[in-house]
Amino acid sequence: MTPSRHTITAAAFAIIPIGYALAQAPQPRPEETEQWSPEPPVVTPGSAVPTPPPSDAIVLLGASGLGEWLSTKDKSPAKWRVEGPVMTVAKGTGNIETKRKFTSYQLHLEWRIPQGISGTGQGRGNSGLFLASTGGGDAGYELQILDSYRNKTYVNGQAGSVYKQYPPLANAMRRPGEWQSYDVVWIAPSFAADGTLKTPAYLTAFHNGVLIQNNVPLGGETTYIGKPQYKAHGPSSIKLQDHGDPSQPISFRNIWLRELTSPSVSIRSPK
Ligand code: MG
């Protein structure tokens, strides 16, 4: 059927107000997903003790430098600085990720905010541990790394938060210049053959030995603006963030991982 001129004109008038309304609709803003209270209690952790890798761990950062890491943007060798066992973000070179891909795992990672760090809020020692990198840039699921020692920001963006999803249960920061540790249990999400979500990702995390995330189900991948969403993926790299904030670069050491081939716990009655 060929539409008459009258029909076309009527349709055009019907569309114009919708287009006008869309143009006027407020755009989602990053502030809409910030949570500022309640503030997690401040807990002073015990003294820093390095946790060397157990016998079955894959060492991702030890004495062998950057051998396990690639630049996220072009998969070339990672360009962050290495001095002995310590790796420091080379600002502007971009995120780095593991050559190996993982599903569910236990991870240990140590990080240090430089003494004399400057900046405020999110612009103060910002990095991030992406538990699964699902693409370039910051695609994936971010456990926030930040200087949250007497540095106020939105609580679902402070150190130990699942960024814009879960504030940490406690603020267990050591002061700048001291080594911090994350110990993480990551249960990867699973997807049906058609790409729909079967089971969400679950995260448990300790900061300096203090429980900060207790088996939380993730709503999807981290987003700066809007709600998290899942998209299907398989085994993934682990990624560290070169955030681009103007403060001094942070450092890492002693990163190791144990793969969990049977992450589900089955509790059996004693015989
Ligand atoms: Mg970050």
Side-chain angles (χ1 to χ4, degrees):
M1 190 181 78
T2 307
S4 69
R5 181 179 296 174
H6 174 77
T7 312
I8 292 169
T9 307
F13 275 109
I15 289 165
I16 286 166
I18 296 168
Y20 180 77
L22 286 174
Q24 297 302 305
Q27 295 298 304
R29 295 177 304 120
E31 291 81 2
E32 290 168 6
T33 46
E34 294 175 2
Q35 177 191 337
W36 285 81
S37 65
E39 291 188 23
V42 173
V43 174
T44 305
S47 53
V49 180
T51 309
S55 61
D56 63 349
I58 297 169
V59 176
L60 295 173
L61 182 63
S64 61
L66 288 169
E68 292 283 341
W69 299 86
L70 296 172
S71 178
T72 295
K73 60 186 170 198
D74 58 7
K75 313 302 178 201
S76 63
K79 295 169 187 67
W80 291 12
R81 293 188 288 117
V82 173
E83 281 178 64
V86 176
M87 170 176 78
T88 300
V89 180
K91 291 256 183 177
T93 62
N95 296 348
I96 65 170
E97 63 187 34
T98 57
K99 290 179 182 173
R100 303 183 203 225
K101 296 182 189 300
F102 305 101
T103 304
S104 299
Y105 57 80
Q106 169 192 350
L107 176 76
H108 176 85
L109 173 147
E110 295 174 22
W111 52 282
R112 184 181 61 192
I113 301 291
Q115 208 160 16
I117 183 89
S118 58
T120 58
Q122 293 289 308
R124 185 176 168 94
N126 198 328
S127 181
L129 167 62
F130 287 86
L131 302 147
S133 172
T134 57
D138 289 346
Y141 312 85
E142 183 182 10
L143 180 66
Q144 176 69 306
I145 292 174
L146 188 76
D147 180 18
S148 288
Y149 186 81
R150 300 176 182 169
N151 175 36
K152 191 175 173 71
T153 185
Y154 41 97
V155 297
N156 60 351
Q158 72 179 67
S161 63
V162 179
Y163 187 77
K164 294 229 170 147
Q165 294 192 44
Y166 293 101
L169 295 170
N171 179 343
M173 281 294 296
R174 296 193 174 105
R175 62 180 68 234
E178 297 184 22
W179 284 99
Q180 322 267 344
S181 66
Y182 276 165
D183 286 280
V184 164
V185 179
W186 172 250
I187 307 299
S190 63
F191 299 90
D194 66 356
T196 55
L197 182 70
K198 252 166 72 179
T199 55
Y202 285 90
L203 175 70
T204 297
F206 295 82
H207 182 188
N208 297 331
V210 176
L211 182 68
I212 53 167
Q213 299 291 347
N214 187 6
N215 201 33
V216 291
L218 270 63
E221 296 186 24
T222 300
T223 50
Y224 180 54
I225 297 172
K227 295 240 164 68
Q229 285 190 330
Y230 278 104
K231 59 176 188 282
H233 63 84
S236 305
S237 299
I238 293 166
K239 182 163 64 183
L240 297 173
Q241 188 182 42
D242 172 15
H243 180 270
D245 79 48
S247 65
Q248 300 89 325
I250 82 162
S251 299
F252 296 88
R253 72 175 184 188
N254 194 23
I255 306 176
W256 54 258
L257 175 150
R258 297 179 63 247
E259 292 186 282
L260 302 177
T261 49
S262 300
S264 301
V265 177
S266 60
I267 299 170
R268 294 182 186 152
S269 316
K271 288 183 179 161

